[in-house]
Amino acid sequence: MNTTKSALILIDMENGFINEKSVHCIKNARATIPSCAFAIEQARKKDIPIFFVKRQYRKDGSDVENTRYDSWKNGGRSMQPDSTGFASDEFPPELTPAQNDYIIVKPRWSAFFQTELDLILRRLQIRTVILAGTTTPNCVRTTCYDANSLDYNVVVLKDCCSSQTEEIQKVNMEDMERMGAKILTSKEFASYNENTVADLSSRIFNEIQVFNG
């Protein structure tokens, strides 16, 4: 039973972003695979549902971001559905989804933008999202801010996230923490429970009910 009312959201940990041969490779993404695998293991022990969020692109490029189109086209038209190899949408073996995990395909940066993620989280009565993956300043951060806008509590597992440089990583983690996200390590996540994160939305709702009599 998921007593934490949380879900683990693993973002874009696919070959096209973690393999050094790919034009879209994030420099420090591969190094986070062990921490991500550990976080997944801990989530399974706690009955926390796991969402594998990935990017896919049509062969003709009709769904590629304007700002990424040229590098995508010149780099071999990567991350096509059911692709294989170093520039594919495949997950690494260490991060293979289980039968009951959720796979979400997102068309842009945020895992919430034009996806079914919010619908499924609400159906599962999830109150807190735990974010991991790549890249921190783009897909993790936009998902973090969208989650906050949708009134979810947000946790970010900092050693499960990656950026092109340590400076970018540090600054973006600090900004998400200032926004209100709780920053944890994967080892700290091992002791995560229903008391780790306060459910701000529920508390505020109750206070408003009292105020309005």
Side-chain angles (χ1 to χ4, degrees), residues 19-120:
N19 192 297
E20 61 277 1
K21 295 181 182 179
S22 171
V23 68
H24 300 296
C25 178
I26 306 304
K27 181 178 179 181
N28 296 309
R30 179 171 292 279
T32 67
I33 290 177
S35 295
C36 289
F38 180 75
I40 289 170
E41 177 187 357
Q42 296 305 309
R44 296 200 200 288
K45 290 180 179 179
K46 301 173 192 296
D47 291 326
I48 292 175
I50 302 167
F51 289 75
F52 288 79
V53 179
K54 63 159 60 177
R55 192 76 62 94
Q56 288 179 345
Y57 292 127
R58 296 178 185 274
K59 187 175 183 178
D60 66 358
S62 57
D63 55 356
V64 180
E65 298 93 332
N66 291 339
T67 53
R68 179 173 277 168
Y69 180 81
D70 286 342
S71 62
W72 174 84
K73 181 182 68 174
N74 297 330
R77 299 177 180 266
S78 59
M79 292 174 280
Q80 296 177 32
D82 300 317
S83 53
T84 59
F86 69 86
S88 71
D89 70 336
E90 289 181 306
F91 299 112
E94 301 93 329
L95 306 179
T96 301
Q99 183 175 359
N100 293 328
D101 293 335
Y102 297 86
I103 297 178
I104 303 286
V105 175
K106 64 183 176 68
R108 288 295 184 265
W109 313 105
S110 172
F112 287 100
F113 183 77
Q114 294 188 6
T115 74
E116 66 273 37
L117 179 60
D118 183 50
L119 183 152
I120 298 174

Side-chain angles (χ1 to χ4, degrees), residues 121-182:
L121 291 176
R122 295 189 188 280
R123 177 63 60 86
L124 297 177
Q125 298 184 333
I126 298 300
R127 295 297 315 127
T128 300
V129 294
I130 303 159
L131 305 182
T134 198
T135 83
T136 302
N138 295 334
C139 300
V140 174
R141 180 168 171 162
T142 55
T143 301
C144 172
Y145 277 72
D146 279 353
N148 179 268
S149 298
L150 292 165
D151 282 345
Y152 291 100
N153 312 301
V154 183
V155 173
V156 181
L157 302 181
K158 62 181 180 180
D159 60 324
C160 296
C161 299
S162 54
S163 303
Q164 292 288 20
T165 70
E166 291 301 324
E167 181 182 9
I168 292 172
Q169 179 77 357
K170 179 177 181 294
V171 169
N172 279 274
M173 282 294 170
E174 289 173 349
D175 275 352
M176 287 189 286
E177 186 170 30
R178 277 191 289 267
M179 184 275 295
K182 189 175 185 66

